[in-house]
Amino acid sequence: MTSVRHSVRAILFDGDDVVLFRRLRPGREPYWITPGGGVEPTDASPEAALRRELDEELGATTGPALHVFTLVEPGRLSMVFACRLVSLDLSRRSGPEFLEPDIGLHQVRRVRPEEVRTLSMVPPELGEFISANAATLPALLDAATYAPGRYRPVVDVHLLLIDGGGLIDGGVPTDGGALTDGGKVLLGRRRGTGYADGEWQIMPSGHLEEGESVVDTAVREAREELGVEVDGCEVVHVMHHRNAGGTARIGIFLVARSVTGTPVNAEPHKCAELAWFPLDRLPERTVPYARAGVEAVRRALAATPPALPATLPALPATLPALAAAADAADAKLLAGAATDADAANAGLLPGAAGAAVVASRPPILSLHGWDVPDSADLAAEAIRAGFEEVTVCLLGRLDDAVLVLSDDETDRLPATVVRPGEGVAAALARLAPVGEVTFAGADDYVSPRGLAGRRLAFSARLTEAPEGMVPLPAGSLGRLPYGEGVFVRRASSGLLYDLSGR
């Protein structure tokens, strides 16, 4: 029986380009190959072999890797993966092919995927595949990371059950499950979810699914998580939230006019326990985003005008009527036929009762998490999100120039993995003496060892160039990987977390 050697290859995207090697060997015409190599007995899987090879050949980490092609050659079977470059550090090269000069050079080149078929690719079938799928492969990678085509944030739906009861004993609220004005909200302590386990979250909560309205989601989650039926769900608040160093999402907060049944912990594999807490005294370990949402609803409850029903479910139905009255008053003002009462309803007479009602309406939309996070917030969120490794990289500035580490073929931002027990600030100090730093962005990666990691970028002004660092040319991103160039552009233009214009 003929033995077959198994190998892996990477179609490695860096922005819109593909990273290839141009091979120069004595006595042979130059040719081109993709990164990759043989699967070794110690590799846990073909993907593990791919990540090892990328680390050995490029000092590279990538995002998700998708198996897109299997190449069959005499005596060899190659699995081809598509992935996006996150970081590149040629000083980490350790493969034997880079330590033996007599076998030639591996020149790192970036090429448009549609042009790969024009090169002397080995094997040529792989070059043809890359060019033929120049548009498809990036779309597949986008779909593996985020919604294709356009930005689609995650939509979270939170239904607040407000009650006068105390702590739940064995899943039964002491004062029943009906919605009252007692001022306590039902929370659940997360477990086994991979995010914020051990912290308290609004119950029920869940993600909007394809084909659902937010009310459908609230009803479904109440049934799945608590075993109750809810009716008359109304939106009280909408929040545009951003996790520190993470992605943004939209939170929809609702209340229900009625609850049928007694809440129980119907998903104990996701929830360790249920409990009622005062709206204004939530437990210390409450998910920050959930805490902000409860506070927004609490303000809405406190701001209910005396003339309106005191219970929160009546508030959303009343607000559109108030808005319609104000719009009608505005129309009379424009027509020149307004009375003082109309002006009051339009909010133009500060002392009038109508203006007080309009002014008392709580904001329907709020922002949360859009201020510049500090290193403690970023570290806490990385732990909350279940990352096993955190890397910090530094955008050091000297006389308005960004300092980088440079070699013959690439540039890179200085970076280091945060050590166990070490803080983010201490890790940055190992890169360069820094004073005040500003968060400049984040991205996620999978390490060569298969660990889920988050990279945090910080900008700081330096008084001198640390050894080995050189400035980028003015107005240029040099040869930085695309992702690091994004950090530099955003930090330079103030696009990220710049709230001065809001």
Side-chain angles (χ1 to χ4, degrees):
M1 178 181 291
T2 304
S3 63
V4 176
R5 177 170 173 76
H6 293 266
S7 64
V8 290
R9 312 300 302 179
I11 304 174
L12 181 60
F13 283 88
D14 187 21
D16 294 328
D17 298 328
V18 175
V19 179
L20 301 175
F21 287 132
R22 183 172 182 263
R23 289 287 280 121
L24 300 178
R25 301 181 67 175
R28 182 171 176 177
E29 289 294 320
Y31 62 97
W32 299 73
I33 60 172
T34 57
V39 177
E40 297 181 355
T42 54
D43 292 324
S45 66
E47 182 178 339
L50 179 83
R51 298 194 182 282
R52 174 184 54 75
E53 287 289 338
L54 289 172
D55 184 48
E56 291 178 356
E57 296 184 351
L58 291 166
T61 59
T62 76
L66 303 181
H67 176 210
V68 295
F69 184 54
T70 298
L71 183 65
V72 179
E73 301 171 274
R76 181 186 295 269
L77 186 69
S78 298
M79 295 181 65
V80 181
F81 292 81
C83 48
R84 285 196 182 277
L85 179 69
V86 171
S87 64
L88 183 71
D89 182 359
L90 295 184
S91 68
R92 290 173 50 83
R93 279 180 164 175
S94 58
E97 61 268 41
F98 302 102
L99 304 178
E100 300 175 13
D102 58 332
I103 67 172
L105 300 177
H106 289 68
Q107 295 179 333
V108 179
R109 295 291 186 267
R110 291 168 173 82
V111 181
R112 302 290 292 187
E114 59 268 21
E115 297 173 359
V116 174
R117 59 163 52 105
T118 67
L119 305 175
S120 300
M121 281 290 295
V122 176
E125 295 87 349
L126 182 53
E128 183 61 32
F129 176 83
I130 293 172
S131 291
N133 294 278
T136 302
L137 292 173
L140 286 173
L141 290 172
D142 290 348
T145 310
Y146 50 84
R150 61 179 60 190
Y151 175 60
R152 293 185 184 180
V154 172
V155 177
D156 299 320
V157 178
H158 308 279
L159 179 62
L160 279 75
L161 300 187
I162 301 174
D163 190 78
L167 291 178
I168 285 180
D169 181 13
V172 181
T174 58
D175 286 352
L179 190 66
T180 74
D181 59 355
K184 290 187 177 181
V185 64
L186 182 62
L187 303 182
R189 190 161 60 84
R190 300 170 63 93
R191 75 171 170 194
T193 67
Y195 180 81
D197 289 331
E199 300 187 14
W200 293 89
Q201 173 63 292
I202 297 167
M203 288 289 285
S205 293
H207 296 150
L208 180 69
E209 294 185 357
E210 186 70 31
E212 285 185 332
S213 72
V214 294
V215 171
D216 293 335
T217 303
V219 172
R220 173 178 56 79
E221 291 292 346
R223 185 180 300 126
E224 292 175 354
E225 295 185 351
L226 300 176
V228 299
E229 297 296 327
V230 295
D231 187 46
C233 293
E234 299 279 357
V235 174
V236 181
H237 191 75
V238 178
M239 180 181 293
H240 191 195
H241 162 72
R242 183 179 186 126
N243 290 322
T247 56
R249 56 209 303 132
I250 303 295
I252 311 293
F253 297 85
L254 303 93
V255 294
R257 291 182 182 276
S258 67
V259 180
T260 302
T262 299
V264 297
N265 186 3
E267 294 184 335
H269 58 292
K270 295 181 181 179
C271 178
E273 58 179 318
L274 299 173
W276 296 94
F277 293 95
L279 284 164
D280 59 350
R281 294 193 303 278
L282 300 183
E284 181 179 353
R285 294 199 68 197
T286 299
V287 176
Y289 164 40
R291 181 186 296 276
V294 172
E295 175 60 23
V297 174
R298 189 185 71 81
R299 289 196 303 268
L301 177 63
T304 305
L308 299 177
T311 55
L312 185 60
L315 182 61
T318 307
L319 289 181
L322 288 174
D327 291 342
D330 289 338
K332 288 186 178 182
L333 287 171
L334 292 174
T339 64
D340 284 350
D342 294 324
N345 282 329
L348 298 180
L349 298 181
V357 170
V358 174
S360 69
R361 281 184 282 169
I364 298 299
L365 174 69
S366 66
L367 297 177
H368 179 258
W370 289 90
D371 294 329
V372 180
D374 60 26
S375 59
D377 290 335
L378 293 162
E381 178 60 25
I383 294 172
R384 182 177 293 115
F387 286 100
E388 304 167 277
E389 180 177 285
V390 174
T391 294
V392 294
C393 68
L394 178 64
L395 283 72
R397 295 181 176 276
L398 182 64
D399 298 329
D400 293 326
V402 175
L403 300 178
V404 299
L405 297 172
S406 186
D407 53 43
D408 290 341
E409 298 182 73
T410 64
D411 301 317
R412 67 183 187 279
L413 296 174
T416 187
V417 174
V418 179
R419 297 168 178 168
E422 182 181 45
V424 169
L428 285 168
R430 289 194 283 109
L431 296 175
V434 296
E436 183 177 355
V437 298
T438 302
F439 178 57
D443 55 13
D444 302 337
Y445 63 91
V446 179
S447 78
R449 294 188 296 148
L451 300 179
R454 171 162 288 176
R455 179 172 62 169
L456 305 174
F458 295 87
S459 177
R461 292 199 174 276
L462 307 180
T463 57
E464 60 180 6
E467 183 178 356
M469 295 191 196
V470 297
L472 285 175
S476 169
L477 295 176
R479 300 164 299 172
L480 287 173
Y482 178 83
E484 296 182 4
V486 170
F487 291 151
V488 173
R489 283 195 298 270
R490 288 179 174 176
S492 300
S493 61
L495 289 176
L496 192 64
Y497 294 101
D498 182 4
L499 304 182
S500 59
R502 300 189 181 191

